[in-house]
Amino acid sequence: MASAPRKLNFITGNKNKLAEVRAILGSVVEVDNQAVDAPEIQGTIEEIAREKCRRAAEVVGGPVLTEDTALEFRALKGLPGPYIKQFLDALGHEGLNKLLDSFEDRTAEAVCTFAFCSGPGSEILLFQGRTEGTIVRPRGPTNFGWDPIFEYETHTYAEMEKEEKNKISHRYKALANLQQWLTNGQS
């Protein structure tokens, strides 16, 4: 079992994700970041997270924290899932909505998986969080992925203040699990 680090090298080029991780974990561990260009593989959320983390640890040559986000539409049996970034890039917010227009069920589950590896060849630990919501027409700022179309209770993620979102989001829940491990030194 890997021991909890005092400092994490979060592998991301996304400044919004970095800000959220620092806001949630900042009191427990120092969060640095580095962008590593690793090819995306196909597979389950967990398989993709493990492979990304393994490759990042090899490139960095030390401890890394990676993150993968999925958005699973219940009507589409989990699609787009871990491929949400590619679907969003290709279809946009309206296109994602159109995928569900012929279905009554517009529920979705946002899934965040953080993977930690203490270095090349080491065990990879996963910390996952899930939040149930509904896919709606875009509302709020459009500067952070699919936030404008994912509604939790009465507001989309994009309409929420950062502090409010950071208390209920899939990323918060995954980071809470990571934070517990960092604090207690156990998974």
Side-chain angles (χ1 to χ4, degrees):
M1 173 79 61
S3 61
R6 288 183 164 72
K7 184 177 187 178
L8 291 175
N9 191 8
F10 181 38
I11 306 301
T12 187
N14 186 316
K15 63 181 168 83
N16 291 316
K17 285 182 183 180
L18 177 61
E20 281 190 5
V21 170
R22 283 181 171 158
I24 295 167
L25 287 182
S27 64
V28 176
V29 66
E30 182 181 343
V31 180
D32 280 345
N33 91 294
Q34 182 175 345
V36 171
D37 189 25
E40 296 281 337
I41 67 160
Q42 294 186 22
T44 66
I45 296 167
E46 294 80 8
E47 289 167 342
I48 291 168
R50 281 188 180 94
E51 182 62 13
K52 182 178 182 179
C53 190
R54 182 191 68 75
R55 289 180 182 186
E58 287 176 358
V59 170
V60 170
V64 294
L65 179 69
T66 60
E67 186 260 4
D68 283 279
T69 299
L71 186 59
E72 300 178 330
F73 295 176
R74 188 160 291 125
L76 299 180
K77 301 189 183 327
L79 284 175
Y83 310 109
I84 184 59
K85 182 178 182 215
Q86 291 80 11
F87 274 64
L88 180 59
D89 288 347
L91 304 173
H93 296 126
E94 280 301 328
L96 288 170
N97 264 276
K98 287 179 184 177
L99 288 175
L100 295 176
D101 282 349
S102 63
F103 296 94
E104 285 185 35
D105 187 354
R106 297 183 71 83
T107 59
E109 190 169 40
V111 184
C112 180
T113 305
F114 280 91
F116 171 77
C117 183
S118 61
S122 297
E123 177 185 13
I124 297 169
L125 304 176
L126 298 182
F127 305 90
Q128 197 168 75
R130 295 174 174 267
T131 299
E132 296 276 337
T134 305
I135 301 303
V136 298
R137 294 294 187 235
R139 298 193 319 253
T142 59
N143 59 345
F144 195 9
W146 42 264
D147 279 10
I149 64 167
F150 186 78
E151 182 181 70
Y152 176 79
E153 295 180 352
T154 58
H155 292 86
T156 66
Y157 274 179
E159 292 174 310
M160 294 178 183
E161 294 295 325
K162 287 181 184 181
E163 296 77 21
E164 178 187 6
K165 179 185 170 191
N166 285 348
K167 291 179 183 174
I168 55 90
S169 76
H170 57 300
R171 187 168 291 113
Y172 164 76
K173 292 172 183 176
L175 287 170
N177 292 329
L178 173 60
Q179 186 173 16
Q180 181 180 3
W181 177 75
L182 289 168
T183 303
N184 299 331
Q186 46 189 282
S187 56

